Structures are given as structure tokens and as C-alpha cells.
Amino acid sequence: RRPVVLKGMELGACTTKWTVDYLSQAEGSKEVKIHVSAVPQMDFLSKNFVYRTLPFDAFVQRAAEVKHKEYFLSEDEKYYLRSVGEDARKDIADIRKQFPILAEDVQIPEYFEKEQFFSSVFRISSAGLQLWTHYDVMDNFLIQVTGKKRVVLYSPRDAPYLYLSGTKSEVLDVDNPDLEKYPLFVKAKRYQCFLEAGDVLFIPALWFHNVISEEFGVALNVFWKHHLPAESYDKSDTDGNKDPTAASRAIQILDRALKTLEELPEEYRDFYARRMVLRIQQKAYRNDYG
């Protein structure tokens, strides 16, 4: 249940074939929805980016550039494609359906049963782009086909120090965090790896990850259902990052309990809240974390 970088995997022809020109020609001018950001650090919470649509071949050419003659926001804007299903609200990303020609070049490592497969997410990033820190509820492989990435990871046990809003951390700059605003962040133990073309990073469910594209690069994320029975997952989840239904129910119950505590004076509220925390620690915390 720890991240690991797998090297020397047999990934198919993609590692040699997927040049900018080949990508552009293979899938042509089909339209794709992309993230466009004027700054390198993308923030999903404040939405400091816009969604735009481009023909795939034009998008690939732009994403590979540093300066743009044609642009939406600025000449050095960053681009990011995260493939989605035909209907993003209902359909799951699957490279075999959205990019069938490119899918023929890929050999996905078989570390899980076919029925456990959830999605295969095709990704293209501009050089310098940094994605927000978040966790997913399924195990996944980040397959770096071309280009280089740096990935910073945090254990699920360090969630108290990451200033979470849902599945995402408010701390954008993990290299130079604002410690006046986020003083507990220094307690989070940082793990870091560098992915070269052809490397595969295993990211276990619930591990936080922040991904920096050091070069223009193409990647494929493969998610699969591993630990939980199929019925435990949120049926409306097309991205693999909605909390399991039992966890969502527990959080709703906790919110109601906290609202009930508001009926008490402050010193009573403080006392009974501390008792609740103790009960959660005694009943639910793992005791093998050292």
C-alpha cells in the first residue's frame, strides 16, 4: 500500500511512436475540451483556469509550444487535457473509446483483473504545468509515455496537515508553501519521485499526489477497483475520486452532529467535541501507524 515507480515495463509502441506530429495526425481534428491557465499552478478550488475547445491536432501543437502565436489568455498560457467520456457526467474515460487509434499503441500493465478495470484517462500537459494536490479513491497507474514529470506524494495519515477541501488540498505551492496561512503543512511527510518516459508510478487509493510536468508530456492514468466491493463506490463517479458511499454518509452524519453541538454554550461544545474526537480515535484510527 505504498507508491512505487516501476521501470522497464512493456508499454507497447506508444513510447517511441507518440511524437507531436504522430499524435496530431493519428487522431486528427476531433474537438477536445481542455483546461487553459495563465499561470503554471492550476487551482481547482478557485478555478484559476478556463475551459476551452480546440481541434485535437491544433491543441497538441499548442501544448508543445512555450510561446503561442494564437492563444486564449496569454502568449505563455499552459494547456492541459484530461480526457473524459462522451457525456462527461455519465460516461467514464476510456482511451479505447475516445482515442481508438492511439489506444492500439498502448499495452496496459496487467496488475489487476479485467473486471476490476474502471477507467483509462489520456492526459497531455504543457511544460511547467502543476496540478493541485488531491487523492483518488481507487488504485491507479500513472503511465508516463513521453516527457518528464515530478510527483510529490503524501500519505493518507497526513490528511490533518493538508488543509483539505473535499478531496483537494488548499496548499498549491508544495515547494514553497505559505506557512503563515498553512502552519501545519510542515508536519506532512513529503515523498517525491521523478518520472522519465516509460516509467509507471503506482499510486495507491487515498494517497495524495501533486504532479508537475517538467516537459511537454503525454501520460495515461489507469484506475481500477481493488479494495472495495463494486457497490461501495458512488455510482455517479466518472472520475474515480468521489468518496465511497459509506464515507459520504458518515461525513453527513458528522456534520449533523456538529450542528447539534451548536445548541450548547461554547465551553460545553468544546468539551463534547473533544469527547467525540476521542471516540473516533478509539473506534476508527489504525494503531499500526507508528
Side-chain angles (χ1 to χ4, degrees):
R1 307 308 302 157
R2 287 179 176 270
V4 64
V5 177
L6 305 171
K7 290 183 171 287
M9 304 286 288
E10 180 51 59
L11 300 174
C14 56
T15 52
T16 53
K17 286 176 73 173
W18 284 9
T19 63
V20 170
D21 289 341
Y22 174 76
L23 290 167
S24 301
Q25 293 164 9
E27 294 288 351
S29 59
K30 69 167 74 174
E31 291 206 326
V32 288
K33 188 176 182 181
I34 57 173
H35 301 67
V36 183
S37 176
V39 295
Q41 288 173 335
M42 289 178 58
D43 181 1
F44 193 83
L45 296 173
S46 70
K47 296 288 196 298
N48 66 344
F49 54 85
V50 295
Y51 292 105
R52 292 291 182 266
T53 302
L54 277 176
F56 181 74
D57 50 2
F59 157 71
V60 172
Q61 296 290 336
R62 280 209 211 178
E65 299 169 345
V66 177
K67 296 284 185 185
H68 312 294
K69 291 180 180 177
E70 295 183 66
Y71 51 84
F72 297 107
L73 304 174
S74 66
E75 65 176 6
D76 56 355
E77 65 193 14
K78 306 294 184 186
Y79 298 92
Y80 173 54
L81 167 68
R82 182 208 185 281
S83 67
V84 295
E86 282 68 25
D87 182 335
R89 291 168 299 179
K90 297 178 183 177
D91 300 324
I92 289 162
D94 186 340
I95 189 173
R96 295 168 297 186
K97 295 178 181 176
Q98 285 94 48
F99 298 92
I101 296 170
L102 295 178
E104 293 178 6
D105 299 333
V106 181
Q107 184 175 317
I108 293 172
E110 295 184 0
Y111 276 71
F112 52 90
E113 301 298 328
K114 284 184 169 58
E115 61 270 16
Q116 291 177 307
F117 171 83
F118 177 72
S119 66
S120 51
V121 183
F122 184 63
R123 301 178 189 269
I124 296 181
S125 303
S126 292
L129 184 77
Q130 182 171 8
L131 294 182
W132 52 89
T133 304
H134 68 284
Y135 69 87
D136 300 297
V137 300
M138 297 181 194
D139 288 355
N140 76 88
F141 281 141
L142 173 55
I143 301 170
Q144 191 63 27
V145 180
T146 71
K148 295 180 181 178
K149 278 194 174 79
R150 176 165 63 95
V151 185
V152 177
L153 302 110
Y154 301 94
S155 162
R157 77 185 75 169
D158 283 343
Y161 315 130
L162 297 179
Y163 297 88
L164 297 185
S165 177
T167 62
K168 302 162 187 69
S169 170
E170 293 179 13
V171 185
L172 285 185
D173 192 341
V174 294
D175 296 316
N176 297 289
D178 182 345
L179 295 180
E180 285 191 12
K181 192 173 182 182
Y182 307 114
L184 294 178
F185 187 71
V186 292
K187 294 187 176 185
K189 183 176 179 181
R190 172 192 179 109
Y191 299 81
Q192 180 169 281
C193 64
F194 294 87
L195 300 182
E196 306 275 344
D199 288 348
V200 178
L201 173 61
F202 168 57
I203 306 176
L206 308 183
W207 273 77
F208 296 88
H209 45 286
N210 181 290
V211 182
I212 303 101
S213 295
E214 301 208 319
E215 300 175 342
F216 164 78
V218 185
L220 183 67
N221 253 140
V222 182
F223 292 84
W224 67 93
K225 299 177 179 181
H226 180 54
H227 271 14
L228 304 177
E231 62 272 15
S232 299
Y233 295 98
D234 188 324
K235 288 182 172 57
S236 68
D237 186 6
T238 57
D239 294 336
N241 59 14
K242 286 190 178 179
D243 292 317
T245 51
S248 296
R249 288 201 312 273
I251 291 168
Q252 290 169 0
I253 292 166
L254 175 62
D255 287 341
R256 290 200 296 271
L258 291 171
K259 192 164 184 63
T260 304
L261 281 185
E262 291 175 7
E263 298 172 16
L264 295 169
E266 185 179 27
E267 62 183 296
Y268 285 81
R269 189 166 67 242
D270 180 280
F271 173 70
Y272 287 104
R274 290 174 191 272
R275 281 192 59 188
M276 289 167 64
V277 169
L278 283 171
R279 289 190 68 175
I280 290 173
Q281 287 178 331
Q282 291 163 357
K283 292 281 188 182
Y285 274 26
R286 286 175 59 179
N287 58 12
D288 59 348
Y289 267 162

